[in-house]
Amino acid sequence: MDATRPTLPCPFDKIFPSQLKRDDDFFMWQAYNQAIDAWRQDEVPIGAVVELHGEIIASAHNQRDSTRDPTAHAEILVLGQAAKAIGDWRLNEATLYVTKEPCPMCSGATLMSRVKRVVYAVPDPKMGCLGGAADLNALPKVNHHLLITQGVLAQPCLELIQAFFRMKRLEE
């Protein structure tokens, strides 16, 4: 993040769904809230959470600009937090929720962490690698395959991402 440039105000509010129904929508709203945190820090608004046995064990958002780290994507950060939380790099029973289809790096890390399932909101036909531009999960010789669910809360997540980039273009 450039200290001389003001952060764009985020016109979106966080959503706090009922704790009583912990379904895909519930966990995706938590990832969405992480994406709003990213926007408020002038980062691309992508958020992620890892769920294990109905509980969130990790949450993160993009931090590439603020850390000046090209690997500081929401998925990479949240997978590292989740592994620390359970004391094992194998996240076999966990589900990753992310607001946009993971890129090649994040798709690879997701496969390597052996999460059971990935749920993403917005497909990415340019860089997504779990069915968008490519599908690493479909490689025949991979020793682990993910269960994939796409499109959960796609519209609000897409609107958030599009609004961010629309405002960025206006700023320039």
Side-chain angles (χ1 to χ4, degrees), residues 46-107:
I46 307 299
V49 299
V50 173
E51 171 270 329
L52 182 65
H53 308 303
E55 298 295 327
I56 294 174
I57 62 168
S59 58
H61 57 77
N62 276 7
Q63 295 181 32
R64 283 187 326 175
D65 290 331
S66 60
T67 62
R68 299 199 183 331
D69 178 352
T71 67
H73 289 203
E75 301 94 324
I76 299 294
L77 298 172
V78 82
L79 291 171
Q81 288 176 18
K84 266 190 183 165
I86 67 167
D88 193 346
W89 63 268
R90 295 172 195 87
L91 302 173
N92 299 15
E93 296 301 314
T95 299
L96 168 66
Y97 290 85
V98 62
T99 56
K100 189 183 75 59
E101 181 181 357
C103 72
M105 173 181 68
C106 296
S107 296

Side-chain angles (χ1 to χ4, degrees), residues 14-145:
K14 289 187 174 185
I15 304 294
F16 298 99
S18 170
Q19 296 275 336
L20 299 176
K21 188 175 180 189
R22 291 177 165 241
D23 58 1
D24 285 347
D25 283 4
F26 173 84
F27 293 109
M28 189 60 75
W29 281 124
Q30 306 309 312
Y32 175 88
N33 289 343
Q34 284 294 313
I36 288 176
D37 288 342
W39 181 320
R40 291 176 178 167
Q41 294 176 20
D42 205 27
E43 296 280 355
V44 174
I46 307 299
V49 299
V50 173
E51 171 270 329
L52 182 65
H53 308 303
E55 298 295 327
I56 294 174
I57 62 168
S59 58
H61 57 77
N62 276 7
Q63 295 181 32
R64 283 187 326 175
D65 290 331
S66 60
T67 62
R68 299 199 183 331
D69 178 352
T71 67
H73 289 203
E75 301 94 324
I76 299 294
L77 298 172
V78 82
L79 291 171
Q81 288 176 18
K84 266 190 183 165
I86 67 167
D88 193 346
W89 63 268
R90 295 172 195 87
L91 302 173
N92 299 15
E93 296 301 314
T95 299
L96 168 66
Y97 290 85
V98 62
T99 56
K100 189 183 75 59
E101 181 181 357
C103 72
M105 173 181 68
C106 296
S107 296
T110 301
L111 278 163
M112 297 304 290
S113 71
R114 297 187 182 162
V115 297
K116 182 176 187 176
R117 183 169 170 241
V118 176
V119 180
Y120 64 85
V122 179
D124 184 352
K126 290 182 182 177
M127 288 296 289
C129 281
L130 292 178
D135 190 355
L136 295 182
N137 197 41
L139 294 173
K141 294 185 180 182
V142 172
N143 65 351
H144 176 74
H145 291 278

